[in-house]
């Protein structure tokens, strides 16, 4: 596999793309997640290749005299609606006095390793900074380690505890299936289960991967170091990975429990999703394109 220099841009913090759809909060998928160390404050150092999906939550804002949030949509159940919702926390970080009527239409499962809450927070920051004409706050990572990477939903290599990002090119669109078994998994519980925290990073230069097959082959030699600990917390994750056994690559995203399967063609992904949905009607199963408009 040639190791070519990639089109890359180093930034300590991502800024929203000028042409990003500001109210769309796409699912985040960690194609790799190498845990390479731990900071003195307990947070873990990561080396992760992150992409976003063409599936996500949707935020809208309207002028009003107070700040309010309504959560709707097929995955609204159980999502906090009060001040602890990341959308309201993002709004307050941007402007403690700001007023708006916000609607969050949930399509992603919560506490699922696909950054739904973080992506919602990033979308709230994008939308409300326009609506209120306020600059983006400096320390958005105060909302969560995943929030900075969600501000600019393009493929990126993430370092530090999640706050350092580098946009990467050379990845194709990836036909995929996302599967969540409906067991919420708490991120701190998974990190706490790790027995080894000084694991190897990815290679310094990522290769150019022209096709889904080439991407799956290279990714298979990388890892998600949280997969084993997450399976110990929620053993059903093993069943999900087994169900995705016909994929070119099956792996867990983030701290779980959502797993992704990569396929050569969208038709292959659709066939796998139909089969899994029939066998496990209680699971959340979606056909997606990862890294859309690559
Ligand atoms: C694991 C990842 C990988 O992308 O994704 P998810 O599973 O959440 O989607 C993220 O690092 C999660 O980011 P996020 O969910 O925003 O984390 P935070 O709210 O900041 O932290 C939740 C808890 O996770 C642990 N944590 C998080 C990030 C990190 N680099 N090291 C950690 O040890 C800490 O115990 C922290 O208290
Ligand atoms: N807008 C939101 N959507 C989903 N979860 C939210 C939201 N705001 C706050 N939360 C809380 O954040 C936690 C993490 O949710 P989420 O970001 O979806 O998962 P993960 O960190 O596993 O990717 C959940 O336990 C949930 O209670």
């Amino acid at each position: 596999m040639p190791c070519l220099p990639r089109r890359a841009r180093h930034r300590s913090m991502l800024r929203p793309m000028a042409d990003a759809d500001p109210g769309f909060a796409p699912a985040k998928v960690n194609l790799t997640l190498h845990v390479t160390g731990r900071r003195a404050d307990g947070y873990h150092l990561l080396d992760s290749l992150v992409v976003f999906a063409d599936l996500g939550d949707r935020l809208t804002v309207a002028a009003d005299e107070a700040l309010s949030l309504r959560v709707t949509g097929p995955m609204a159940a159980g999502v906090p609606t009060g001040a602890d919702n990341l959308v309201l926390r993002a709004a307050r970080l941007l402007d403690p006095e700001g007023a708006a009527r916000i609607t969050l239409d949930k399509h992603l499962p919560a506490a699922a390793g696909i950054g739904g809450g973080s992506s919602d927070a990033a979308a709230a920051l994008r939308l409300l900074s326009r609506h209120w004409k306020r600059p983006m706050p400096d320390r958005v990572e105060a909302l969560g380690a995943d929030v900075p990477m969600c501000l600019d939903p393009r493929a990126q290599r993430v370092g530090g505890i999640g706050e350092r990002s580098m946009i990467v090119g050379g990845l194709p669109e990836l036909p995929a299936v996302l599967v969540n078994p409906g067991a919420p998994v708490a991120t701190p519980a998974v990190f706490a289960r790790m027995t080894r925290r000084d694991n190897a990073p990815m290679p310094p230069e990522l290769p150019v991967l022209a096709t889904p097959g080439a991407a799956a082959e290279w990714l298979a030699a990388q890892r998600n170091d949280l997969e084993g600990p997450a399976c110990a917390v929620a053993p059903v994750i093993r069943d999900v990975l087994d169900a995705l056994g016909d994929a070119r690559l099956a792996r867990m995203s983030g701290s779980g429990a959502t797993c992704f399967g990569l396929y050569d063609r969208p038709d292959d992904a659709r066939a796998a999703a139909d089969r899994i949905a029939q066998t496990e009607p209680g699971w959340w199963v979606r056909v997606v394109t990862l890294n859309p408009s690559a």
Side-chain angles (χ1 to χ4, degrees):
M1 186 79 60
C3 264
L4 303 176
R6 311 185 61 144
R7 178 166 56 84
R9 193 140 58 98
H10 289 264
R11 288 183 287 186
S12 61
M13 177 160 309
L14 289 162
R15 294 295 176 192
M17 273 165 84
D19 57 353
D21 177 352
F24 181 55
K28 164 224 70 165
V29 170
N30 301 89
L31 293 176
T32 69
L33 182 47
H34 295 210
V35 178
T36 59
R38 183 151 64 154
R39 294 196 322 197
D41 65 1
Y43 268 78
H44 292 76
L45 297 171
L46 310 175
D47 185 18
S48 179
L49 182 57
V50 172
V51 291
F52 293 84
D54 59 352
L55 171 75
D57 300 334
R58 166 67 59 182
L59 268 85
T60 46
V61 298
D64 208 346
E65 286 171 3
L67 183 68
S68 65
L69 173 68
R70 194 167 63 103
V71 183
T72 61
M75 301 306 284
V79 174
T81 53
D84 52 343
N85 190 295
L86 280 155
V87 168
L88 289 179
R89 290 183 53 207
R92 285 297 171 234
L93 182 70
L94 196 59
D95 182 351
E97 309 294 327
R101 189 167 68 250
I102 307 173
T103 303
L104 167 61
D105 199 34
K106 276 303 280 187
H107 293 265
L108 303 176
I114 49 175
S118 310
S119 200
D120 293 346
L125 290 171
R126 286 192 299 261
L127 273 183
L128 291 171
S129 67
R130 289 179 184 204
H131 186 71
W132 291 336
K133 300 187 174 48
R134 291 274 187 284
M136 198 57 80
D138 276 338
R139 292 192 44 79
V140 301
E141 63 269 32
L143 298 168
D146 261 2
V147 177
M149 68 179 88
C150 294
L151 276 179
D152 184 351
R154 287 182 286 172
Q156 52 198 275
R157 182 173 186 168
V158 172
I161 64 162
E163 83 289 7
R164 294 177 58 83
S165 277
M166 190 172 79
I167 298 295
V168 297
L171 261 185
E173 288 195 350
L174 298 168
V177 177
L178 300 181
V179 182
N180 183 282
V185 174
T187 304
V190 174
F191 276 108
R193 281 275 187 147
M194 293 200 82
T195 49
R196 189 170 173 173
R197 296 179 161 89
D198 57 343
N199 304 293
M202 290 186 284
E205 291 290 340
L206 306 188
V208 171
L209 301 162
T211 63
E217 190 182 327
W218 182 82
L219 288 167
Q222 313 304 316
R223 316 177 305 274
N224 180 343
D225 291 327
L226 296 181
E227 208 171 271
C231 288
V233 170
V236 68
I237 294 169
R238 282 265 168 256
D239 302 332
V240 175
L241 291 167
D242 287 347
L244 287 164
D246 65 346
R248 291 292 298 259
L249 174 77
R251 178 168 287 158
M252 191 182 80
S253 176
S255 56
T258 307
C259 298
F260 60 91
L262 300 185
Y263 295 84
D264 286 326
R265 288 171 294 272
D267 279 352
D268 301 337
R270 270 189 288 276
D274 288 347
R275 182 182 45 71
I276 297 169
Q278 257 186 0
T279 319
E280 298 287 353
W283 289 2
W284 180 85
V285 182
R286 295 290 184 278
V287 179
V288 295
T289 299
L290 300 179
N291 199 32
S293 320

